[in-house]
Amino acid sequence: MNLKELSQNLGLSQTTVSRALNGYPEVSAKTRQRVEQAAAKFNYRPSNRAKGLATGKSYAIGHVIPLSTKHEMVNPIFGDFIAGAGETYAREGYEMTLSIVDDQDEAQIYSGLKSKNSVDGVVVHGPRMNDNRITLLQELGLPFVVHGRVSGCETPYPWLDVNNRSAFRQLTKYLIGLGHRRIALINGLEVMDFAHRRRAGYEAALIDAGLSPDPTIMRSDEMTEEFGYETTRDVLQHPDPPTGIVCSSLISAIGVRRGIEDAGLKMGQDVSVVTHDDALSYLKNGGKTPIFTATRSSVRDAGRHLAQMLLQAIADPDQLPQTTLWDAEFVIGGSTGPAPSKD
């Protein structure tokens, strides 16, 4: 039975029935009891559209993906985040909408979502340095949360992030402690805020140890397996090749291992590798014994938590912006060892 049929059966308007089921005070106790009894009798469960008639909400959350980063749609990191967020939405009676748009149309899409009341809030993915989406969404008055942070943004806004700078400082410091002095960086795109912070942590650890960062063994691009492989082959051909590699993604690290093996070397013996691990559901860093020494933080947990933050902001628009910074767990795997001695 749908809302229209239930309303006809009761001889009431659809709006009155919706408001009764959603606890609006202007509906009398007698009418509310009558509606609830009929809903139970006919096993009626209000749809989001029906609830929207009563509350003025859409009960939907938007995820807008620019075409320039549409690879995220098939990236297991994005998939795990969406799975975690989806669990929270489903539990709270919300639906999720995904929009893939041309980059130049992104602002127009957000404006349309707001004006049409298509969603109650949005999640901002892949924040860039000085990302102008923060100001846009604040001006629109559309509730939002950011998965990550935006350097250069001075106004308060809600976000959840991993402490990327601290994690990469720890990874690099660990290699230095093993005696490595030539340490390469295989990073994500450094226009992205997370990658900028990771490079800062890597460079800080080197400088703290009295080592000079060498741009000739630093690389930045999409974090694919192929990028890890090709970059590793390249840096190992350097006249003074690295004995350690700091990698931004487990996916890229798999390519790094392949590049080391293709060079006739052994990971953890000739070249040590450390990486960030998003604790992906279908791409594990080994079992009880990790393959890679890594900083680990679950992107699925991040999806769950960020979705809850957004729903709280929607429920209480006057609350101060929430911010959450997670420290990554450090795990030691089989990818690292003492720096090889020079004959």
Side-chain angles (χ1 to χ4, degrees):
M1 176 173 284
N2 58 32
L3 177 64
K4 181 179 180 180
E5 291 168 339
L6 180 62
S7 301
Q8 289 173 344
N9 186 280
L10 288 164
L12 299 171
S13 71
Q14 293 182 48
T15 300
T16 298
V17 173
S18 291
R19 288 179 176 273
L21 291 171
N22 285 280
Y24 274 65
E26 62 266 30
V27 179
S28 70
K30 183 178 179 180
T31 299
R32 179 177 296 107
Q33 182 180 19
R34 181 178 167 220
V35 170
E36 289 175 348
Q37 287 175 347
K41 177 182 178 181
F42 295 110
N43 196 29
Y44 171 75
R45 296 289 183 274
S47 66
N48 284 348
R49 182 178 179 184
K51 288 190 290 184
L53 288 173
T55 63
K57 294 182 177 180
S58 66
Y59 289 92
I61 301 299
H63 295 258
V64 179
I65 311 300
L67 277 171
S68 64
T69 55
K70 67 179 180 179
H71 65 280
E72 291 186 5
M73 296 295 292
V74 293
N75 187 315
I77 297 173
F78 179 80
D80 252 36
F81 178 90
I82 288 295
E87 291 174 19
T88 300
Y89 299 150
R91 186 177 64 249
E92 300 296 336
Y94 276 76
E95 297 176 349
M96 175 172 52
T97 68
L98 297 175
S99 304
I100 304 177
V101 302
D102 288 325
D103 291 51
Q104 63 268 23
D105 295 334
E106 192 172 1
Q108 183 180 349
I109 292 296
Y110 284 122
S111 298
L113 291 174
K114 172 64 176 178
S115 64
K116 296 175 184 177
N117 197 32
S118 302
V119 299
D120 295 328
V122 295
V123 175
V124 176
H125 294 276
R128 301 176 289 272
M129 302 288 292
N130 303 302
D131 200 315
N132 60 13
R133 289 176 292 178
I134 307 304
T135 301
L136 170 66
L137 291 168
Q138 289 174 332
E139 291 175 349
L140 289 172
L142 182 60
F144 70 94
V145 289
V146 182
H147 184 204
R149 282 180 284 173
V150 179
S151 297
C153 182
E154 298 180 356
T155 60
Y157 64 94
W159 53 263
L160 180 148
D161 198 12
V162 175
N163 195 335
N164 287 294
R165 191 179 193 278
S166 174
F168 274 64
R169 188 170 186 167
Q170 183 176 21
L171 288 173
T172 308
K173 185 177 179 180
Y174 182 73
L175 288 179
I176 293 170
L178 291 173
H180 296 274
R181 294 297 179 266
R182 289 287 288 169
I183 302 172
L185 174 66
I186 298 181
N187 203 4
L189 286 166
E190 291 178 358
V191 295
M192 310 302 288
D193 196 88
F194 79 88
H196 171 77
R197 294 177 189 273
R198 290 178 179 182
R199 178 171 182 150
Y202 157 83
E203 291 182 338
L206 292 176
I207 292 169
D208 286 348
L211 303 172
S212 298
D214 183 357
T216 66
I217 53 172
M218 299 179 194
R219 300 291 187 275
S220 167
D221 210 326
E222 301 284 4
M223 297 183 296
T224 64
E225 191 275 345
E226 183 179 8
F227 168 58
Y229 171 70
E230 295 292 349
T231 298
T232 300
R233 293 191 63 185
D234 180 35
V235 298
L236 290 179
Q237 292 174 8
H238 192 283
D240 187 10
T243 62
I245 297 175
V246 179
C247 192
S248 246
S249 166
L250 183 66
I251 299 168
S252 298
I254 293 170
V256 170
R257 178 173 63 177
R258 183 161 67 97
I260 291 170
E261 291 171 351
D262 271 11
L265 302 173
K266 184 175 181 180
M267 183 176 74
Q269 180 175 308
D270 301 303
V271 183
S272 288
V273 180
V274 294
T275 187
H276 183 69
D277 174 17
D278 289 288
L280 301 176
S281 300
Y282 298 101
L283 186 60
K284 298 290 188 182
N285 180 17
K288 293 182 179 179
T289 303
I291 299 169
F292 295 97
T293 295
T295 49
R296 177 185 293 162
S297 180
S298 170
V299 71
R300 191 169 189 135
D301 286 347
R304 293 187 186 103
H305 191 83
L306 202 68
Q308 192 61 54
M309 287 172 59
L310 179 54
L311 297 185
Q312 289 172 2
I314 292 168
D316 183 8
D318 295 326
Q319 74 172 13
L320 295 174
Q322 295 184 55
T323 61
T324 302
L325 183 64
W326 285 353
D327 286 319
E329 175 191 8
F330 184 74
V331 297
I332 297 177
S335 64
T336 49
S341 58
K342 292 185 177 181
D343 296 330

Coordinates of all heavy atoms in Angstrom, one line a residue, residues 162 167 170-171 275-280 284-299 326-332:
V162 N 42.5 12.2 7.9 CA 43.6 11.5 8.5 C 44.7 12.5 8.7 O 44.9 13.4 7.8 CB 44.0 10.3 7.7 CG1 45.3 9.6 8.3 CG2 42.9 9.3 7.6
A167 N 51.5 11.1 9.5 CA 51.7 9.7 9.1 C 52.9 9.6 8.2 O 53.7 8.7 8.3 CB 50.4 9.3 8.3
Q170 N 56.1 9.9 10.1 CA 56.4 8.7 10.8 C 57.0 7.6 9.8 O 58.0 6.9 10.2 CB 55.1 8.2 11.5 CG 55.4 6.9 12.3 CD 54.1 6.5 13.0 OE1 53.0 6.8 12.7 NE2 54.3 5.7 14.1
L171 N 56.4 7.5 8.7 CA 56.9 6.5 7.7 C 58.3 6.8 7.3 O 59.2 5.9 7.3 CB 56.0 6.5 6.5 CG 54.6 5.9 6.6 CD1 53.8 6.1 5.3 CD2 54.7 4.4 6.9
T275 N 54.2 2.5 3.1 CA 53.0 3.1 2.3 C 51.9 3.4 3.3 O 51.9 3.1 4.4 CB 52.5 2.1 1.3 OG1 51.5 2.7 0.5 CG2 51.9 0.8 2.0
H276 N 50.9 4.2 2.7 CA 49.7 4.4 3.5 C 48.7 3.3 3.0 O 48.6 3.0 1.8 CB 49.1 5.8 3.2 CG 47.9 6.0 4.1 ND1 47.9 6.1 5.4 CD2 46.6 6.1 3.7 CE1 46.7 6.3 5.9 NE2 45.8 6.3 4.9
D277 N 48.0 2.8 4.0 CA 47.0 1.7 3.7 C 45.6 2.1 4.2 O 45.4 2.4 5.4 CB 47.5 0.4 4.5 CG 46.5 -0.7 4.4 OD1 45.6 -0.7 3.5 OD2 46.6 -1.6 5.2
D278 N 44.7 2.2 3.2 CA 43.3 2.6 3.6 C 42.4 1.5 4.1 O 41.2 1.6 4.2 CB 42.6 3.2 2.3 CG 43.2 4.6 2.0 OD1 43.0 5.5 2.7 OD2 43.9 4.7 1.0
A279 N 43.1 0.4 4.5 CA 42.3 -0.8 5.0 C 41.2 -1.2 4.2 O 40.0 -1.3 4.6 CB 41.9 -0.5 6.5
L280 N 41.4 -1.4 2.9 CA 40.3 -1.6 1.9 C 39.8 -3.0 2.1 O 40.5 -4.0 2.4 CB 40.9 -1.5 0.5 CG 41.5 -0.1 0.1 CD1 42.0 -0.2 -1.3 CD2 40.4 0.9 0.2
K284 N 43.5 -6.3 0.8 CA 44.2 -6.3 2.1 C 45.7 -6.2 2.0 O 46.3 -6.8 1.1 CB 43.7 -7.5 2.9 CG 42.2 -7.6 3.1 CD 41.8 -6.6 4.2 CE 40.3 -6.9 4.6 NZ 39.8 -5.8 5.5
N285 N 46.3 -5.6 3.0 CA 47.7 -5.6 3.2 C 48.2 -6.8 3.9 O 48.7 -6.8 5.0 CB 48.1 -4.3 3.9 CG 49.7 -4.2 4.1 OD1 50.4 -4.9 3.4 ND2 50.1 -3.4 5.1
G286 N 47.9 -8.0 3.2 CA 48.3 -9.2 3.8 C 47.3 -9.6 4.9 O 46.2 -9.0 5.1
G287 N 47.6 -10.7 5.6 CA 46.8 -11.2 6.7 C 47.3 -10.7 8.1 O 47.4 -9.5 8.3
K288 N 47.5 -11.7 9.0 CA 48.1 -11.3 10.3 C 49.4 -10.6 10.2 O 49.8 -9.7 11.0 CB 48.1 -12.5 11.2 CG 46.8 -13.1 11.5 CD 46.9 -14.3 12.5 CE 45.5 -14.8 12.9 NZ 45.7 -16.0 13.8
T289 N 50.2 -11.0 9.2 CA 51.5 -10.4 8.9 C 51.4 -9.5 7.7 O 51.2 -10.0 6.6 CB 52.6 -11.5 8.7 OG1 52.6 -12.4 9.8 CG2 53.9 -10.8 8.5
P290 N 51.5 -8.2 7.9 CA 51.3 -7.3 6.8 C 52.4 -7.5 5.7 O 53.5 -7.8 6.0 CB 51.4 -5.9 7.4 CG 51.1 -6.1 8.9 CD 51.6 -7.5 9.2
I291 N 52.0 -7.3 4.5 CA 53.0 -7.3 3.4 C 53.9 -6.1 3.5 O 55.1 -6.1 3.4 CB 52.3 -7.3 2.0 CG1 51.4 -8.6 1.9 CG2 53.3 -7.2 0.9 CD1 50.5 -8.6 0.7
F292 N 53.2 -4.9 3.6 CA 54.0 -3.6 3.7 C 53.9 -3.0 5.1 O 52.9 -3.0 5.8 CB 53.3 -2.6 2.7 CG 53.4 -3.0 1.3 CD1 52.3 -3.6 0.6 CD2 54.5 -2.7 0.5 CE1 52.4 -4.0 -0.7 CE2 54.6 -3.1 -0.8 CZ 53.5 -3.7 -1.4
T293 N 55.1 -2.4 5.5 CA 55.1 -1.5 6.6 C 54.2 -0.3 6.2 O 54.4 0.2 5.1 CB 56.5 -1.1 7.0 OG1 57.2 -2.3 7.4 CG2 56.5 -0.1 8.1
A294 N 53.3 0.1 7.1 CA 52.3 1.0 6.6 C 51.7 1.8 7.8 O 51.7 1.4 8.9 CB 51.2 0.4 5.9
T295 N 51.2 3.0 7.4 CA 50.2 3.7 8.3 C 48.8 3.3 7.8 O 48.6 3.4 6.6 CB 50.4 5.2 8.3 OG1 50.5 5.6 6.9 CG2 51.7 5.6 9.0
R296 N 48.0 2.9 8.7 CA 46.7 2.3 8.3 C 45.5 3.1 8.9 O 45.5 3.4 10.1 CB 46.6 0.9 8.8 CG 45.3 0.2 8.5 CD 45.3 -1.2 9.1 NE 46.2 -2.1 8.5 CZ 46.7 -3.2 9.0 NH1 46.3 -3.6 10.2 NH2 47.6 -4.0 8.3
S297 N 44.5 3.4 8.1 CA 43.3 4.1 8.5 C 42.2 3.6 7.6 O 42.3 3.7 6.4 CB 43.5 5.6 8.5 OG 42.3 6.2 8.9
S298 N 41.1 3.2 8.2 CA 40.0 2.6 7.4 C 39.2 3.7 6.7 O 38.5 4.5 7.3 CB 39.1 1.8 8.3 OG 37.9 1.4 7.6
V299 N 39.2 3.7 5.4 CA 38.4 4.7 4.6 C 36.9 4.3 4.7 O 36.0 5.2 4.6 CB 38.8 4.7 3.1 CG1 38.4 3.5 2.4 CG2 38.3 6.0 2.4
W326 N 41.9 12.0 12.5 CA 42.3 10.7 13.0 C 43.8 10.5 12.8 O 44.4 10.8 11.8 CB 41.5 9.6 12.1 CG 40.1 9.5 12.5 CD1 39.4 10.1 13.5 CD2 39.1 8.7 11.8 NE1 38.1 9.7 13.5 CE2 37.9 8.8 12.5 CE3 39.2 7.8 10.7 CZ2 36.8 8.2 12.1 CZ3 38.0 7.2 10.3 CH2 36.8 7.4 11.0
D327 N 44.4 9.9 13.8 CA 45.8 9.4 13.7 C 45.8 8.0 13.1 O 44.9 7.2 13.4 CB 46.5 9.4 15.0 CG 46.8 10.8 15.5 OD1 47.3 11.6 14.7 OD2 46.6 11.1 16.7
A328 N 46.7 7.7 12.2 CA 46.8 6.4 11.5 C 47.5 5.4 12.4 O 48.4 5.8 13.2 CB 47.5 6.5 10.2
E329 N 47.1 4.2 12.3 CA 47.8 3.1 13.0 C 49.1 2.7 12.3 O 49.1 2.7 11.0 CB 46.9 1.9 13.1 CG 47.5 0.6 13.7 CD 46.7 -0.6 13.6 OE1 45.7 -0.5 12.8 OE2 47.0 -1.6 14.1
F330 N 50.2 2.5 13.0 CA 51.4 2.1 12.3 C 51.6 0.6 12.5 O 51.6 0.1 13.6 CB 52.6 2.9 13.0 CG 53.9 2.6 12.3 CD1 54.2 3.1 11.1 CD2 54.9 1.8 12.9 CE1 55.5 2.9 10.5 CE2 56.1 1.5 12.3 CZ 56.4 2.1 11.1
V331 N 51.9 -0.1 11.3 CA 52.1 -1.5 11.4 C 53.4 -1.8 10.6 O 53.7 -1.2 9.6 CB 50.9 -2.3 10.7 CG1 49.6 -2.1 11.5 CG2 50.7 -1.9 9.3
I332 N 54.1 -2.8 11.1 CA 55.4 -3.2 10.5 C 55.1 -4.5 9.7 O 54.6 -5.5 10.2 CB 56.5 -3.4 11.6 CG1 56.7 -2.1 12.3 CG2 57.7 -4.0 10.9 CD1 57.8 -2.2 13.4

